[in-house]
């Protein structure tokens, strides 16, 4: 016979207060309070070895870092590892987390299995809740009451409401809603709209989509020719292999299995720059024809040496506040050696171009907390090209929040006539006061190149004013174009005639007001 439960401990681990609020709510439930003695504690104040089998413990905790305990559960978790005696009490775990983190509900999952491994009796199946935790909490509470007040143990064993998280080994298949070319200068930008309805995916502007493409006909055909097989056969061996991006590790593997003197020389340290340049401008089919006569290796020997396709990452270009079921991307097409007479599409470019509306894209979303937007703070957004993507999400969320903190946008591209992407949306945001100003820099519209950093310098007074108001600065664009420009661009804003001209950049970094997303 199971011992009678007389007491309930509600213990929580919480940083920003979500788990604590749920714990408070549970501990003050009148039906439970009428039947049990209830104690509410933070996990760090709780000693599980004190509990007897007449005390049910409800663990409610979030996860932080890489699926680690929140700060007020760290001491508990460390002491827990040292417990040697068996635990006898009945328990249930309700975890709060965010599916955008790779280790979704990592701490509550570890806690649930460690309690059970130490002998504690799980009365209710664990719940892994995402940001919509309130709805799941109500369901959990109903089951908890059925178990504790009515002795309905089956209800606890049958509960199955956890949110599953997506990752590299559990991709969500998201139907394509539309793919529109939105800029003219080659290589172009595309606006991709994807349906995430019923996925449970929650994201914030600034977060990242990992898309796992596969190789399609334009990439597979040259391999079919080279190996003398059908495209279907090439697809069978190479569909999921990284054939568009050459990596040193794979080149070394092939060179060691199939020695070649030219390749051996290229792999020497002194030829590092030449090798990097070769890898940047070529794909593996060029590599095969450049170094190996046909017949040197079979398609399966070649496939064995290759690695699997790495997911491609893109900044999300939308806010879920604007549309919870749709996720947007702003993607630049990739061609190897775009200046040559016969550029070849990258894997993801060819893959996206092969899709029809309604086809599904395998993906997952990861949080990027360093680039989340603070709607309550004045802000300066600086983007080049596809770097506009997260800022579209920021501006959508500003609109929904009716943010009154001022915001200005700088955007750089090549030609105003064909590359001014999101022009209508920007105009709407300017007209409606969501955005206070937008300064554009089109580099190729005049004799001397004019870049986004030149616009920032020109608008010195407006930028300085916002910085003095405490503005946060967000910069997104290609590393190659922007990385070396940011520090001088911001330091040029330091007060005129000031002796210390290194002030603004250092100050923004020290105050955590400079957010960079360079790709
Ligand atoms: C910096 C940071 C790191 C986080 N790391 C994780 C994580 O690794 N796994 C997870 O599931 N959730 C993670 N989260 C999400 C929190 O667990 C989630 O927001 C939770 O609702 C917070 O609850 P609390 O207010 O009780 O602490 C993280 C949140 C932040 C801000």
């Amino acid at each position: 016979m199971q011992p009678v439960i007389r007491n309930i401990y509600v213990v929580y681990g919480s940083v920003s207060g979500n788990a604590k609020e749920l714990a408070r709510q549970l501990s003050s439930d009148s039906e439970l309070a009428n039947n049990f003695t209830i104690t509410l504690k933070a996990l760090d104040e709780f000693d599980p070895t004190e509990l007897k089998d007449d005390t049910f413990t409800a663990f409610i905790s979030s996860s932080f870092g890489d699926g680690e305990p929140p700060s007020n559960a760290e001491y508990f978790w460390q002491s827990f590892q040292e417990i040697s005696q068996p635990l006898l009490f009945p328990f249930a775990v309700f975890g709060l987390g965010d599916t955008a983190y790779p280790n979704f509900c990592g701490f509550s999952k570890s806690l649930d299995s460690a309690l059970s491994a130490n002998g504690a009796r799980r009365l209710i199946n664990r719940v892994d809740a995402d940001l919509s935790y309130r709805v799941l909490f109500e369901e959990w509470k109903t089951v908890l009451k059925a178990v504790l007040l009515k002795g309905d143990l089956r209800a606890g064993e049958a509960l199955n409401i956890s949110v599953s998280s997506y990752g590299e080994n559990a991709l969500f298949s998201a139907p394509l809603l539309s793919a529109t070319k939105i800029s003219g200068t080659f290589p172009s930008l595309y606006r991709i709209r994807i349906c995430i309805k019923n996925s449970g995916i929650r994201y914030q502007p600034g977060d990242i989509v990992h898309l796992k493409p596969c190789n399609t006909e334009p990439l597979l055909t040259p391999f079919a020719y080279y190996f003398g097989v059908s495209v279907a056969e090439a697809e069978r061996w190479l569909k999921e292999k990284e054939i568009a991006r050459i990596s040193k590790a794979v080149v070394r593997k092939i060179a060691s299995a199939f020695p070649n003197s030219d390749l051996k020389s290229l792999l020497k340290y002194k030829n590092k720059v030449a090798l990097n340049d070769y890898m940047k401008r070529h794909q593996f089919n060029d590599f095969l024809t450049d170094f190996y006569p046909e017949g040197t290796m079979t398609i399966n020997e070649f496939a064995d040496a290759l690695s699997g396709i790495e997911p491609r990452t893109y900044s999300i270009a939308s806010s879920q506040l604007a549309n919870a079921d749709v996720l947007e991307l702003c993607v630049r097409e990739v061609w190897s050696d775009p200046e040559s007479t016969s550029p070849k599409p990258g894997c993801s470019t060819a893959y996206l171009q092969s899709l029809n509306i309604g086809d599904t894209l395998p993906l997952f979303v990861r949080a990027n907390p360093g680039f989340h937007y603070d709607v309550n703070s004045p802000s300066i957004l600086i983007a080049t090209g596809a770097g506009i993507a997260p800022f579209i999400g920021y501006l959508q969320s500003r609109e929904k929040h009716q943010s009154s903190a001022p915001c200005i946008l700088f955007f750089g591209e090549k030609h105003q006539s064909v590359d001014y992407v999101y022009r209508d949306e920007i105009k709407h945001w300017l007209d409606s006061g969501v955005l206070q100003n937008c300064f554009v820099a089109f580099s190729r519209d005049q004799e001397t190149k004019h870049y986004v950093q030149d616009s920032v310098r020109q608008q010195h007074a407006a930028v300085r004013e916002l910085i003095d108001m405490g503005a946060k600065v967000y910069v997104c664009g290609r590393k190659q174009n922007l990385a070396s420009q940011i520090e001088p661009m911001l330091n040029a804003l330091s007060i005129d005639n000031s002796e210390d001209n290194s002030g603004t950049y250092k100050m923004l970094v020290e105050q955590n007001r400079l957010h960079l997303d360079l790709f």
Side-chain angles (χ1 to χ4, degrees):
M1 214 177 90
Q2 301 291 0
V4 176
I5 295 171
R6 298 181 200 287
N7 312 303
I8 297 178
Y9 262 59
V10 180
V11 290
Y12 60 86
S14 185
V15 171
S16 41
N18 299 341
K20 188 173 177 181
E21 182 207 323
L22 299 186
R24 279 217 174 110
Q25 212 179 304
L26 185 66
S27 63
S28 58
D29 183 275
S30 54
E31 252 186 296
L32 292 173
N34 287 340
N35 290 276
F36 303 96
T37 306
I38 305 181
T39 309
L40 174 70
K41 279 187 178 196
L43 267 163
D44 272 357
E45 296 157 6
F46 166 71
D47 179 359
T49 60
E50 280 176 3
L51 297 192
K52 306 235 163 46
D53 55 8
D54 65 349
T55 304
F56 170 84
T57 305
F59 294 86
I60 303 177
S61 182
S62 57
S63 293
F64 273 83
D66 185 19
E68 278 142 41
S71 49
N72 64 354
E74 277 169 6
Y75 172 74
F76 158 82
W77 192 227
Q78 195 193 328
S79 326
F80 191 90
Q81 317 301 319
E82 286 151 25
I83 295 177
S84 52
Q85 71 204 74
L87 301 173
L88 300 170
F89 57 84
F91 76 97
V93 173
F94 185 94
L96 291 87
D98 184 339
T99 52
Y101 287 90
N103 220 330
F104 172 55
C105 285
F107 171 59
S108 43
K109 283 175 182 167
S110 304
L111 175 64
D112 182 72
S113 51
L115 285 164
S116 171
N118 280 22
R121 245 176 346 113
R122 186 188 295 109
L123 289 195
I124 304 169
N125 286 338
R126 187 192 72 232
V127 176
D128 309 325
D130 61 357
L131 301 181
S132 50
Y133 58 84
R134 282 178 217 282
V135 184
L136 299 182
F137 182 71
E138 286 310 315
E139 281 191 57
W140 183 71
K141 203 163 86 175
T142 308
V143 171
L144 184 141
K145 285 185 174 179
V147 171
L148 296 182
L149 295 168
K150 299 184 195 144
D152 182 1
L153 295 179
R154 283 228 188 119
E157 286 161 12
L159 184 73
N160 181 12
I161 54 170
S162 280
V163 170
S164 62
S165 69
Y166 301 102
E168 200 157 338
N169 299 319
L171 298 150
F172 175 67
S173 296
L176 177 70
L177 297 172
S178 62
T180 319
K181 185 174 173 175
I182 53 170
S183 79
T185 307
F186 176 78
S188 300
L189 291 171
Y190 284 76
R191 185 171 179 171
I192 312 260
R193 295 175 65 250
I194 297 164
C195 179
I196 53 164
K197 197 171 176 177
N198 300 328
S199 66
I201 290 175
R202 293 280 171 274
Y203 67 82
Q204 291 188 45
D207 287 346
I208 310 282
V209 161
H210 294 240
L211 171 71
K212 195 145 186 205
C214 60
N215 294 313
T216 47
E217 220 177 303
L219 270 88
L220 293 165
T221 305
F223 291 92
Y225 276 128
Y226 177 85
F227 288 108
V229 298
S230 65
V231 175
E233 184 69 357
E235 185 175 18
R236 188 162 83 83
W237 289 102
L238 304 176
K239 187 176 178 188
E240 314 275 341
K241 298 286 186 175
E242 192 64 77
I243 53 176
R245 287 181 183 170
I246 303 183
S247 77
K248 268 184 216 163
V250 174
V251 169
R252 286 215 177 86
K253 221 162 149 185
I254 296 177
S256 118
F258 302 95
N260 170 299
S261 55
D262 291 343
L263 196 52
K264 195 172 165 195
S265 157
L266 189 62
L267 280 166
K268 288 206 168 120
Y269 185 75
K270 63 173 185 190
N271 292 327
K272 196 172 138 196
V273 176
L275 176 61
N276 283 340
D277 181 57
Y278 182 86
M279 293 197 311
K280 213 157 63 187
R281 290 189 299 107
H282 295 87
Q283 300 187 345
F284 264 119
N285 61 309
D286 307 308
F287 168 82
L288 288 174
T289 44
D290 287 350
F291 293 100
Y292 293 104
E294 283 172 25
T296 310
M297 67 192 93
T298 60
I299 191 165
N300 52 325
E301 285 169 329
F302 173 63
D304 273 353
L306 297 174
S307 51
I309 293 178
E310 283 289 312
R312 274 34 178 186
T313 53
Y314 302 102
S315 275
I316 295 174
S318 52
S319 160
Q320 249 178 327
L321 294 177
N323 190 337
D325 296 336
V326 175
L327 183 152
E328 287 202 28
L329 303 175
C330 173
V331 175
R332 164 106 46 213
E333 56 185 336
V334 172
W335 293 78
S336 69
D337 217 0
E339 319 289 302
S340 80
T341 47
S342 57
K344 292 182 204 69
C347 166
S348 196
T349 297
Y351 171 72
L352 288 169
Q353 287 177 352
S354 76
L355 294 176
N356 294 310
I357 304 305
D359 286 351
T360 57
L361 293 88
L363 56 81
F364 60 97
V365 172
R366 284 286 171 259
N368 184 18
F371 215 63
H372 285 169
Y373 182 62
D374 179 358
V375 272
N376 298 314
S377 164
S379 51
I380 299 160
L381 316 178
I382 303 170
T384 58
I388 189 86
F391 301 156
I392 297 303
Y394 287 9
L395 290 160
Q396 288 181 354
S397 86
R398 282 180 63 81
E399 183 166 22
K400 290 290 165 191
H401 281 288
Q402 300 187 326
S403 170
S404 57
C407 172
I408 59 174
L409 170 69
F410 289 89
F411 174 57
E413 251 292 349
K414 294 191 178 74
H415 297 288
Q416 172 141 14
S417 55
V418 288
D419 300 325
Y420 194 168
V421 295
Y422 299 98
R423 190 183 199 146
D424 294 345
E425 288 81 354
I426 290 170
K427 184 178 179 308
H428 160 72
W429 287 320
L430 285 168
D431 291 346
S432 55
V434 169
L435 188 59
Q436 275 56 58
N437 230 323
C438 172
F439 302 102
V440 286
F442 292 99
S443 58
R444 300 191 187 172
D445 279 352
Q446 57 285 307
E447 285 259 303
T448 26
K449 293 275 170 71
H450 182 82
Y451 295 111
V452 81
Q453 60 269 25
D454 302 315
S455 284
V456 172
R457 285 200 189 94
Q458 273 177 356
Q459 301 305 326
H460 173 276
V463 177
R464 182 78 243 168
E465 193 187 335
L466 278 190
I467 287 182
D468 290 344
M469 285 169 71
K472 295 189 172 170
V473 179
Y474 301 83
V475 186
C476 188
R478 286 193 72 186
K479 211 181 272 168
Q480 201 185 321
N481 303 337
L482 281 173
S484 62
Q485 300 300 326
I486 295 165
E487 190 168 345
M489 171 181 82
L490 293 170
N491 283 340
L493 299 167
S494 299
I495 298 158
D496 293 343
N497 307 322
S498 155
E499 280 179 15
D500 175 16
N501 242 12
S502 67
T504 307
Y505 175 79
K506 196 163 160 246
M507 182 265 293
L508 289 171
V509 171
E510 280 172 2
Q511 296 182 2
N512 199 19
R513 287 165 56 195
L514 178 61
H515 303 272
L516 305 180
D517 190 357
L518 305 181
F519 46 85

